[in-house]
Amino acid sequence: MLKLAAGAICGLGAGMVTGVGARAAMRMVADGVPDPIRTLSSFTPGGTVAIIVFAGLAGAPFGVLFAVVRDALPRPRRARGLLFGVAMLVTVGPLFFTGARDEFITYERMVLFSFLFLLFGLAAGFVFEPSQRLARRLPDPARWVLVFIAIGCGLLLATVIAGFAVQAAQTHGVLAIAFAVPWLALGVAGAARFRRRGSLAAA
């Protein structure tokens, strides 16, 4: 429970950092990144806060997944966050880019928003250990709340990712979702490893 709560805290923090990055990317798109759509966005403090909060909630389940698989990632330890971000980019990223509307995901936006996956991984790597220390200070009910938030957000996010996968398959063929296979395999392997450790600890 401690590791899962720490992962939720880590994901919330890294997600908020990524939300700031996403808002900056949107600003760059509106301010001059070459874009055939030429769509200008309006930016308000309320909209910025909403994006940051949404990104934090969306990051919570990924933070839990990072906590589960972190020890299984290659060394050095400080690079594991970046490796996790790369894994997100090459597995979830293509589903997002190919499943979204073609008129929204231009080449320039694809390059720009690809960095957000790496930003999340880097931020998660930096805040994971402080998140562990914070989770240790929290009472058990607070840890449970954090885990339930991560699980709930993860279920909602899974439906979104599934929707992108369906759209990508319909638009580009079934092979378009092959990028998700390593991600799913990593998640299953991490869950199995965590469960095995829990069983050994209980014994």
Side-chain angles (χ1 to χ4, degrees), residues 3 66-85 121-130 132-133 136 193 197:
K3 177 176 284 191
F66 176 61
V68 171
V69 304
R70 179 174 177 266
D71 291 340
L73 294 174
R75 294 181 180 273
R77 182 181 296 270
R78 292 186 178 276
R80 288 175 175 171
L82 179 59
L83 291 174
F84 186 78
L122 286 170
F126 277 111
V127 304
F128 182 75
E129 291 185 1
Q132 283 185 311
R133 292 193 292 269
R136 291 190 187 99
R193 181 187 180 95
R197 284 188 174 184

Side-chain angles (χ1 to χ4, degrees), residues 26 30 100 120 136 144 150 162 176 191 198 200:
M26 294 175 189
F120 179 88
R136 291 190 187 99
W144 277 107
L200 291 175

Side-chain angles (χ1 to χ4, degrees), residues 1 28 37 45-46 53 56 58 61 74 85 125 132 136 142 160 174 177 191-192:
M1 178 57 62
M28 291 176 65
I37 305 173
V53 171
Q132 283 185 311
R136 291 190 187 99
V160 174
V174 176
I177 64 175

Side-chain angles (χ1 to χ4, degrees), residues 64-126:
V64 170
L65 182 57
F66 176 61
V68 171
V69 304
R70 179 174 177 266
D71 291 340
L73 294 174
R75 294 181 180 273
R77 182 181 296 270
R78 292 186 178 276
R80 288 175 175 171
L82 179 59
L83 291 174
F84 186 78
V86 171
M88 291 178 64
L89 175 60
V90 299
T91 52
V92 178
L95 292 177
F96 172 74
F97 294 132
T98 60
R101 301 190 312 273
D102 289 339
E103 67 270 18
F104 174 76
I105 297 298
T106 62
Y107 175 77
E108 293 81 9
R109 286 179 173 177
M110 188 182 299
V111 172
L112 188 59
F113 286 96
S114 291
F115 288 103
L116 298 179
F117 293 94
L118 305 181
L119 177 60
F120 179 88
L122 286 170
F126 277 111

